[in-house]
Amino acid sequence: AQVSFLHLFSEMVRNLGNKSTPVFHEALTVILSSIAWAQRQLDIVNDELETLATKQADDPASNSNAEADSDDESVADDFQLADDEDNDNGEMPVGISARGELEQRKSAARAIRQLATKCLTQMFTLVAPSFSFTPYMPCVYEVVVDPRIDNLASENTQSSSALLLLLRSWTVTPAYFAYLTEYNPLTFPMLLDILVAPKVQPAVVFLVLVIVQAFLDYDPEIAVQKHGLSEDSAQACLELVQTTIQSHVSRILAHMRVCFSNANLAVGATAGQSSSSLVMHQIHILSRVAEYATKETHDAQALLDLLLPMLKRPNSLVPSRTKGDVLTIMLRFIPLVLSPVLSTTPHDEQRKLLADYLASISDSFSRLRLDTARVTLTSILSLMATIDRDLQGPEAPQPTPLESAARLVEELNAYSTKKIGEPDYDRRLAAFAQLNEELWSRPEFDAHAWIPVLHNLVYFAQDEEEMAIRSNASFGLARFVTRTAQAFTADPQSDESQALGASMRTILLPSIKHMLASRPEVVQVEFLGVLRKAVRECGQFFAQLQDLLVLDTADEEANFFYNILHIQTHRRTRAMRRFRDLVAKNVDAH
């Protein structure tokens, strides 16, 4: 009878929707009573099974007989409710073992509890404005949630249980948010613990993240307009959300760290789309949680170490907007790790971390094209320049090299204050002029400062539409080559020479190789000019360039670099013929 009623009620709600709300009061009484009865039956059966197991352990002969009986009568894992209806007198089939009878009773009680919980979830999902569940919530917790809250993580590793789906239904409208937090303080933390349950499946993790995201994405204005909340209720809900997230931010970050260790990590050339989507969802969650992070948060460094590699992944795996979320996280977490005021990290380790983060952020300047992402990058670089000054102490120069670089990069990426998304070309060209006429030769503008600037120059030298930007950027790269040549000529073993040489090998030369192989001709011309200057001025200092010295002749008519992309086709052909002859001559010589 219970099962028939629950099936009937489920179909009625599914077909009638909000028209079924007049019977919710009576239905809730029956549904909660069914769940309470099923839970009592499960408790009784579990006690009897434990008692039976104890007796069998004490009496080996009885144990072997019970096992033989169990082998004779196999018990189905899923109880067939129709059979229960055929045995209304409560009599079990003859020959079934005592353990088999208990298992059938247990399966029947579980089926009823599950079906009744699903009916309850359907009712909440309707979001009926004319019905309030609040008077019933203490009973819902007492009957449905509290008996199972301790096992919530272990019961949801392989798939989402009916209880987890019920908790999910309490986020369909902000009016229900209080149901997750006010009646049992363990509900929200136990829900988060599912994220780190052993062998938890991605689908379950995704569902838990959806619940958390509902809190993080809450907007009072949308709550008033879309969900019909009053302004007072919307504001009260906002306070509830902020209090809940703030009190659990450390747990969320610690668990997300484990999630990334298991899933981020799976994103790669062989990873499936579901894994990639899950990681992107996790990054979005972290970008929102970062707003609540405080100096008591201890997992910021570990999360940064996990997120930084995402910036270097191709856009096909990690879209630009997701990388923008990663940068938002970094902007909030870097002070927690590096700031002398907030961080407890040792000074030497802070300096090393600063260099690592600077390399990653600088590299992103040559990769990311999204306007908002580049603005965030400039903010992070400015923040790191401030931290660099604090780490150097009172003896730091005014301004520090990194501060000069941060100001220059901010101007190079300036946007108009009058038109959204429109570059401010006057400020950008002024910044290029400052770099190419003044800063490039100043001793205080050291190799440390050149790193983010180089990546920006590589990025802007690829601009196919704005010739002024492209030519100024390539001229800036040529200035860097000259600065490196001057340093090596003065003292090849100095720290400055070694640092500039490292940037030449790891940043400029790989970029030239990539651009010459894959970019349009207008871009290739710019980078070919930079390569010609690098060969001419630094060829004797770098093994990668020494073999190209024979191509750079004083006679422009015979110069390979000058002619290979010349506008006249016959000069290109002649350059290729000369290159062929030089290669053949070199092969014969060896």
Side-chain angles (χ1 to χ4, degrees), residues 79 83-96 101 104-105:
F79 181 76
D83 293 342
D84 183 59
E85 294 175 1
D86 294 338
N87 292 277
D88 292 336
N89 56 6
E91 296 179 1
M92 301 302 298
V94 177
I96 197 165
E101 178 184 351
Q104 282 197 348
R105 288 170 55 191

Side-chain angles (χ1 to χ4, degrees), residues 172-174 214 217-230 234 288:
V172 295
T173 173
D217 290 346
Y218 172 74
D219 187 338
E221 293 184 3
I222 296 178
V224 172
Q225 297 173 3
K226 182 178 178 180
H227 299 285
L229 271 68
S230 64
R288 303 304 305 273

